[in-house]
Amino acid sequence: MDLILFSCKARFHSFFRHKKTQRSLLMALGILGSAFYSWLFSFLLDKAHQGGINPGVQQVLEYTNLFLLAIIILRGFFPAYIQKTEIIPRIYPVSALQKFWTEFIVELVSPFYFILLNFLMLLFLMSPEYTFLHLLQSILVVLTAHVTLRALQVFVERKMRWLHSSFISAAVLAGGFVALQARVPMFTASEEWLYLFVHLASLGFLIGSNFFLEQAAAEPRRKEVSYSQNARRSLGWRLFKNHKLARQMIIFGLVFKGFFLAIDAFSVTRDGVHLFDKNVTLWLFVGPIIVFAYVFNNVWGFYKNLWLTVERTSGNYKDFLKASLLPIRVPLLMDAVLTFLYVAFYNHENAMFIFMMYTGSILLLTPFSLIASFVSPKAVKGGLFSFDVKVSYLFNLLGMALFGMLFLPLLHPLLYLIYPLLIGGVMFALFAVMREYSTYKYKLFETLYKVED
């Protein structure tokens, strides 16, 4: 118990050891966000109770639990993979059971789970339909999702001894969990306390399975980097494939974009009306803004070795431009294919505008991303909920504002004339930044290669 308390205390103090102001503000923002979602779900529960919306109270409670289940599991993989916490190395003289419980409990001591618990408590206080039984059930869902994430992390990070007795024990206990969940799903809201004990038994089976799974895991998997002597193989593809963090963030962004395009396609198929016509801001998802906002507005932060290579060879602005285009080729191609499929099947009437807007956005956002990368670089580390900034918020907002101006031709075709003005202005700004590169490069090196005390 002393080891658990000591580890939890050390983990808590480590959160605000560096960048106290920034992380405190992000924590406050997370609490405000949880309060907003608590109000939103309580509003839905109240409307469902009054019969104002089609889903009933039970369905809204199920959606709440499924929301918790999905966000906990997905946060471990998108937009960046988060490694499993290993506080106690295996060589330490600590029993396997003590090591398991220490790491399991310490992982729950995090800003993410604090914000999630804040969401549940506020929902319980705001909504009379969300009873204490529902609160306990949601907490069990959170723990189940956490254990599921830990199991997936073990499969990703370690080689498995499939015929080991521990793996067989883990499979048997996992089968018990699945059998109970097939009869009484945990995310289904219940009004009887007896079901809570069934859910506790399910969680017990899953935790036991997770413990034996860790014992069946062998040495960590080695990180592999793909090399090729084939000169025809794209260097841009290798930069995309070998940078795991950038690849995951880009894929997450494309899935996010595809989700909105799919909703619009469904709206067109069912009602014949574009969702984008009802909400103009959703037009942002048609362009490639996500690719830049997630990664390439901080291209040197993600590809710092690429920047250092160019800096130590020539330092010429033309070489910097060529180098910045290398990693962006494959993501832009994937984004363009996704957009083309959407236009080809579901948005013929706006094809000309989308083509002009997409072309203009590439010419606009590519030099803008270089400006952001030189002027406001960020050291890239951690995952989505690690409270580590990966791209400048200010330049992301500026980029979205500039990109939003490309949609002015929707008001009148004459406003296409703003395209050359915007692109020319950004090109001029890039030229001005490159003239001052000798000043910016010291800030780049300090930001990207410094070591925190």
Side-chain angles (χ1 to χ4, degrees):
M1 190 64 183
D2 292 337
L3 179 61
I4 294 177
L5 291 175
F6 173 79
S7 302
C8 290
K9 184 178 179 181
R11 183 173 173 83
F12 176 79
H13 287 301
S14 69
F15 293 141
F16 301 98
R17 186 172 299 161
H18 304 287
K19 303 178 182 178
K20 294 182 180 179
T21 303
Q22 175 183 314
R23 296 184 180 183
S24 298
L25 290 175
L26 288 172
M27 174 68 80
L29 183 63
I31 294 174
L32 290 176
S34 67
F36 169 76
Y37 278 101
S38 299
W39 171 83
L40 179 62
F41 278 95
S42 65
F43 175 77
L44 292 175
L45 285 171
D46 183 60
K47 285 293 184 182
H49 179 71
Q50 297 176 4
I53 57 177
N54 187 21
V57 174
Q58 296 298 317
Q59 286 74 24
V60 175
L61 290 173
E62 288 182 13
Y63 295 154
T64 305
N65 290 331
L66 288 173
F67 169 75
L68 294 171
L69 192 67
I71 195 173
I72 291 173
I73 296 176
L74 287 178
R75 84 177 186 101
F77 296 91
F78 299 103
Y81 176 74
I82 300 176
Q83 287 190 341
K84 180 178 171 295
T85 303
E86 188 173 15
I87 298 174
I88 306 172
R90 292 191 171 192
I91 62 173
Y92 279 28
V94 176
S95 66
L97 185 61
Q98 187 178 11
K99 177 180 183 296
F100 173 80
W101 279 115
T102 301
E103 293 180 350
F104 179 81
I105 294 174
V106 170
E107 286 173 355
L108 296 174
V109 182
S110 72
F112 172 77
Y113 285 108
F114 175 77
I115 292 171
L116 215 58
L117 182 62
N118 187 69
F119 162 75
L120 293 176
M121 294 302 300
L122 289 176
L123 182 59
F124 172 69
L125 295 174
M126 290 181 181
S127 177
E129 287 75 28
Y130 191 76
T131 63
F132 183 67
L133 176 61
H134 295 145
L135 174 63
L136 293 178
Q137 189 175 1
S138 295
I139 292 175
L140 291 181
V141 169
V142 170
L143 294 175
T144 301
H146 176 67
V147 179
T148 304
L149 175 60
R150 295 182 91 250
L152 294 174
Q153 288 172 324
V154 171
F155 278 112
V156 170
E157 297 176 16
R158 296 186 176 275
K159 294 181 180 180
M160 196 59 59
R161 295 176 290 180
W162 302 102
L163 300 179
H164 196 273
S165 59
S166 295
F167 182 80
I168 297 174
S169 301
V172 171
L173 290 174
F177 168 77
V178 173
L180 287 176
Q181 288 302 296
R183 296 296 300 271
V184 187
M186 191 176 294
F187 60 83
T188 302
S190 59
E191 300 294 338
E192 299 183 13
W193 285 87
L194 181 61
Y195 286 111
L196 190 66
F197 295 103
V198 178
H199 298 328
L200 278 171
S202 298
L203 179 60
F205 279 127
L206 188 61
I207 292 176
S209 174
N210 188 236
F211 169 73
F212 284 110
L213 188 67
E214 288 192 12
Q215 304 313 305
E219 71 276 4
R221 295 180 184 271
R222 296 180 179 179
K223 295 183 179 180
E224 297 181 356
V225 178
S226 300
Y227 296 95
S228 175
Q229 301 297 327
N230 186 358
R232 295 181 179 180
R233 183 163 294 178
S234 170
L235 179 58
W237 168 252
R238 280 177 279 175
L239 287 171
F240 172 75
K241 182 181 178 182
N242 290 334
H243 199 304
K244 190 174 183 179
L245 178 59
R247 184 181 74 244
Q248 289 178 338
M249 294 191 72
I250 291 168
I251 291 176
F252 175 77
L254 293 177
V255 170
F256 190 54
K257 171 179 177 174
F259 172 74
F260 284 97
L261 296 183
I263 292 178
D264 182 73
F266 177 76
S267 177
V268 172
T269 304
R270 187 184 63 177
D271 303 325
V273 179
H274 284 286
L275 189 68
F276 299 144
D277 295 334
K278 300 177 182 178
N279 192 337
V280 180
T281 56
L282 293 180
W283 274 101
L284 293 173
F285 293 100
V286 179
I289 184 66
I290 286 182
V291 173
F292 290 93
Y294 273 48
V295 174
F296 293 103
N297 280 350
N298 187 27
V299 61
W300 305 131
F302 283 90
Y303 297 93
K304 62 179 182 179
N305 291 334
L306 184 62
W307 166 78
L308 191 60
T309 301
V310 178
E311 159 63 22
R312 289 294 182 263
T313 52
S314 69
N316 188 284
Y317 75 93
K318 292 182 180 179
D319 293 331
F320 281 121
L321 181 60
K322 292 178 182 179
S324 67
L325 294 177
L326 284 175
I328 203 174
R329 291 175 183 174
V330 173
L332 271 184
L333 180 61
M334 296 169 63
D335 187 90
V337 169
L338 180 62
T339 306
F340 172 78
L341 292 175
Y342 162 73
V343 173
F345 290 102
Y346 299 104
N347 206 334
H348 306 283
E349 59 274 19
N350 293 312
M352 184 61 186
F353 164 72
I354 293 176
F355 173 77
M356 295 293 293
M357 177 274 300
Y358 201 93
T359 304
S361 63
I362 293 176
L363 296 175
L364 177 72
L365 295 176
T366 302
F368 179 82
S369 66
L370 269 178
I371 295 172
S373 301
F374 281 119
V375 176
S376 185
K378 299 293 179 182
V380 176
K381 56 183 178 179
L384 177 62
F385 292 94
S386 62
F387 288 175
D388 288 314
V389 181
K390 297 177 178 61
V391 180
S392 170
Y393 292 139
L394 174 61
F395 277 89
N396 264 356
L397 292 175
L398 290 176
M400 293 178 66
L402 290 173
F403 179 64
M405 296 181 71
L406 297 180
F407 295 94
L408 291 177
L410 288 173
L411 302 177
H412 195 281
L414 187 63
L415 293 176
Y416 276 117
L417 294 175
I418 201 172
Y419 279 32
L421 295 177
L422 289 173
I423 296 170
V426 173
M427 291 290 188
F428 179 79
L430 176 60
F431 178 75
V433 168
M434 295 309 300
R435 289 286 298 270
E436 299 296 326
Y437 170 71
S438 58
T439 302
Y440 288 123
K441 69 178 182 180
Y442 296 106
K443 180 182 178 181
L444 269 166
F445 189 85
E446 178 187 4
T447 302
L448 302 181
Y449 290 94
K450 70 179 180 180
V451 179
E452 292 185 348
D453 295 328

